[in-house]
Amino acid sequence: MLKKRYLAPLAVAAVIAAVTGCSASPKTTTSSGSESTAAKQTPQEAGTEAASEEQAFQGEKVLVWTNNRHDAEYMEEIVKSFNEENQGQIEMEYVITTENYINMITMAISSDQAPDIFCVGAATAGFDLNSFVASGIIQPLNPLLSDEFKGVYDLGKLSYPGINALGEDIYFVPTCQRSGNRLLYNKEMFEAAGITKDPETLEEVVEAAKKMTEAGGGIKYGIGMPGLSASFKRFLYPAAEVSGILPYDYVNGRYDFTGYKPVIEAARQMFTDGSMIPGAASLKIDPLRVQFAEGNIGIIGNASQEVGVLTDQFPAKMEWGVAEIPSLDGTIKGSLSALPQTGWAMTTTAENPAAAAKVIEYLSSVDVMKGYVEKGYSLPTSDKVMEAVDQSKIGKLADFAPLSYESVYPQFPNVTPQGKNWEEVLWEACFPEAGDIDPILETLTKDYNDALDKEVKMGKTRRLIIKDFDPLKPAEGTLEYLDQ
């Protein structure tokens, strides 16, 4: 069947404009693996040209969206190989879009220009499985996946309630695991500042950052965090996690942000000391990565994907190391959250689910994932993939191997309170000028519980309670979803 799909005005104006690329001009990988010039055309020209290409192709086209850009070079070759192997039958069109990714998908659904499949993971900002299922955006994959696929991926093991599964239905199978966050550090700056051991407490991080800043001569700074909500998640949030501090009280089914005060106080001290790189309040992640790669930041926090970033996207010009995220007092009181990543969800608008499933299985195959892991892009979820990997090629990815206290936390209810989201509020509370911390955390707790109570009553979400919740074994509790 010939699919009548083309990049009409919405795709040109919204998707292509957001396509990744480190150069000045936006780029997109087309179905043939080449760079599209659609961004330079008028919507009418792009639509006419795409329609002509559709007429020439008499097979099934599968449109794929992803928000991953660090693996673009490798994935371009994968797309090219797939299209050569399936010439005349299935053609994959692969689009990279990073700005407002989840909003773009929902917009595309409503305008009948949605992808057939899209990349998603537990760390994908804005993705809420319950909402996507309730809105009829995605469909279960269970009946579409082959026995061969299930032989590579243990669906029972990789089923995470509220993250990729609801009941018996699985909506994406994570091929990768994003490790829990780590402390990434500049070895040369550590040495210059006389730091001889990895920081084990937040207080030691504050001290180390101050020493590196003083040794940096106004050019180099001890620590860097990207601005906006992502900042709190990359370093401070995991430090709180391993200290037993969480935003949601699983036992009682309520939000509680009051435990974050000592973590925020440590961040404030680094701002006061001048240890935080200037502009951290609004700095985006890629400029921060560039500064770290250039050797101008002593410490950043992030997960296993940074191996690929600092190898291919922004090659590091200094020697860097990996340490465990420190806790408040040096002891581990809670699990470090690892996140299932790079799963492929299928939209309900996919015109040929069988063809879309074939693309999913190809992108998830042992051969494709073997190369993906060896490039340092991520850790695999499949033992069969790991067995195929040449360990000598994974380099620093080995430094992100799972820790004994890493786990996947159950997804707590996603609600919309009045005002800003909790990650943004906690990050802004880190600024010394934000004022007294206690009322900020108390107000945030109240706002989120008010929103939770309201949305549970409306039937928009359900309250999650885990009476036997253990912060050191968060995945082993008994989940209860309540309508009150």
Side-chain angles (χ1 to χ4, degrees):
M1 177 181 68
L2 174 62
K3 178 177 291 187
K4 297 179 181 178
R5 188 184 298 280
Y6 57 92
L7 292 178
L10 170 68
V12 173
V15 179
I16 300 302
V19 165
T20 184
C22 298
S23 62
S25 301
K27 300 175 183 177
T28 180
T29 301
T30 67
S31 55
S32 62
S34 61
E35 290 177 8
S36 171
T37 58
K40 301 178 182 179
Q41 301 171 320
T42 66
Q44 292 78 14
E45 290 171 337
T48 301
E49 181 177 311
S52 296
E53 291 177 358
E54 287 279 5
Q55 293 171 4
F57 177 67
Q58 294 301 313
E60 179 68 24
K61 283 200 173 183
V62 175
L63 179 60
V64 181
W65 281 14
T66 181
N67 61 340
N68 285 331
R69 59 188 174 195
H70 65 292
D71 58 6
E73 185 176 351
Y74 177 71
M75 293 306 296
E76 182 176 333
E77 292 302 314
I78 296 304
V79 173
K80 182 179 179 181
S81 296
F82 178 87
N83 289 335
E84 289 175 351
E85 292 175 17
N86 296 275
Q87 191 168 13
Q89 300 176 34
I90 303 176
E91 184 174 8
M92 187 194 325
E93 183 176 359
Y94 190 87
V95 176
I96 305 171
T97 178
T98 57
E99 297 297 325
N100 299 315
Y101 179 62
I102 293 300
N103 286 338
M104 290 294 299
I105 292 170
T106 56
M107 287 170 58
I109 284 283
S110 63
S111 61
D112 195 29
Q113 298 193 61
D116 297 291
I117 63 176
F118 62 94
C119 186
V120 71
T124 304
F127 177 74
D128 178 64
L129 179 66
N130 285 277
S131 297
F132 267 59
V133 172
S135 300
I137 295 175
I138 55 178
Q139 60 180 297
L141 296 180
N142 311 54
L144 299 170
L145 299 174
S146 68
D147 290 340
E148 181 180 358
F149 181 92
K150 294 173 184 177
V152 176
Y153 294 94
D154 184 341
L155 300 191
K157 178 182 176 182
L158 298 175
S159 176
Y160 304 105
I163 295 177
N164 73 324
L166 293 175
E168 298 298 319
D169 292 329
I170 296 178
Y171 291 87
F172 71 86
V173 179
T175 58
C176 300
Q177 176 172 290
R178 176 173 168 173
S179 73
N181 282 27
R182 303 286 192 274
L183 185 153
L184 281 58
Y185 64 95
N186 182 323
K187 290 186 175 182
E188 297 166 14
M189 288 183 65
F190 262 43
E191 183 177 351
I195 301 168
T196 57
K197 74 179 188 70
D198 299 341
E200 296 180 0
T201 68
L202 273 182
E203 183 179 357
E204 290 177 357
V205 170
V206 173
E207 294 172 356
K210 185 176 182 179
K211 288 180 180 179
M212 286 186 284
T213 302
E214 291 171 347
I219 299 174
K220 300 183 178 185
Y221 294 85
I223 193 165
M225 298 182 191
L228 307 178
S229 61
S231 182
F232 203 86
K233 279 291 191 74
R234 295 182 191 274
F235 187 85
L236 299 171
Y237 183 84
E241 273 187 330
V242 297
S243 302
I245 302 167
L246 298 170
Y248 189 77
D249 177 355
Y250 288 97
V251 174
N252 295 299
R254 306 287 291 174
Y255 283 91
D256 185 1
F257 299 98
T258 57
Y260 283 100
K261 184 176 181 178
V263 177
I264 292 171
E265 288 175 332
R268 284 192 178 188
Q269 188 61 52
M270 289 187 280
F271 274 108
T272 300
D273 292 341
S275 303
M276 197 76 68
I277 187 170
S282 59
L283 192 65
K284 291 187 176 181
I285 181 59
D286 277 352
L288 180 82
R289 286 164 162 162
V290 169
Q291 289 299 318
F292 183 72
E294 291 289 332
N296 297 326
I297 300 176
I299 291 172
I300 63 172
N302 224 328
S304 49
Q305 76 276 6
E306 293 306 283
V307 175
V309 170
L310 294 172
T311 301
D312 296 331
Q313 191 176 355
F314 307 119
K317 297 180 180 180
M318 49 68 186
E319 188 177 0
W320 58 283
V322 180
E324 295 179 30
I325 286 285
S327 65
L328 282 171
D329 61 6
T331 59
I332 303 300
K333 298 177 180 178
S335 291
L336 183 66
S337 58
L339 300 173
Q341 283 294 93
T342 316
W344 300 97
M346 187 183 303
T347 60
T348 53
T349 56
E351 295 186 24
N352 191 324
K358 184 171 182 178
V359 171
I360 289 176
E361 295 201 358
Y362 185 87
L363 294 175
S364 309
S365 65
V366 172
D367 287 344
V368 170
M369 292 310 303
K370 174 181 182 294
Y372 199 84
V373 174
E374 290 176 354
K375 286 282 186 179
Y377 295 131
S378 191
L379 297 164
T381 58
S382 165
D383 291 338
K384 284 186 167 52
V385 171
M386 198 61 190
E387 290 168 3
V389 168
D390 183 343
Q391 298 291 321
S392 68
K393 293 183 178 181
I394 65 174
K396 281 190 175 295
L397 193 60
D399 294 338
F400 292 85
L403 300 169
S404 61
Y405 55 90
E406 282 187 64
S407 185
V408 176
Y409 281 85
Q411 178 63 54
F412 48 77
N414 184 27
V415 299
T416 305
Q418 291 186 341
K420 299 176 180 178
N421 66 56
W422 64 268
E423 295 106 319
E424 191 171 352
V425 172
L426 291 180
W427 171 237
E428 291 179 353
C430 294
F431 307 154
E433 61 270 22
D436 192 357
I437 297 172
D438 289 324
I440 294 174
L441 300 181
E442 290 167 3
T443 299
L444 183 62
T445 297
K446 182 180 184 302
D447 288 347
Y448 262 81
N449 282 321
D450 286 348
L452 176 60
D453 292 342
K454 178 182 178 181
E455 294 186 23
V456 168
K457 186 175 182 180
M458 293 172 60
K460 290 182 64 176
T461 190
R462 292 189 295 169
R463 191 184 308 277
L464 171 61
I465 289 182
I466 307 176
K467 293 179 181 178
D468 55 351
F469 179 76
D470 181 347
L472 288 170
K473 300 176 182 179
E476 296 183 12
T478 304
L479 281 64
E480 297 180 65
Y481 289 95
L482 307 180
D483 295 321
Q484 58 182 4

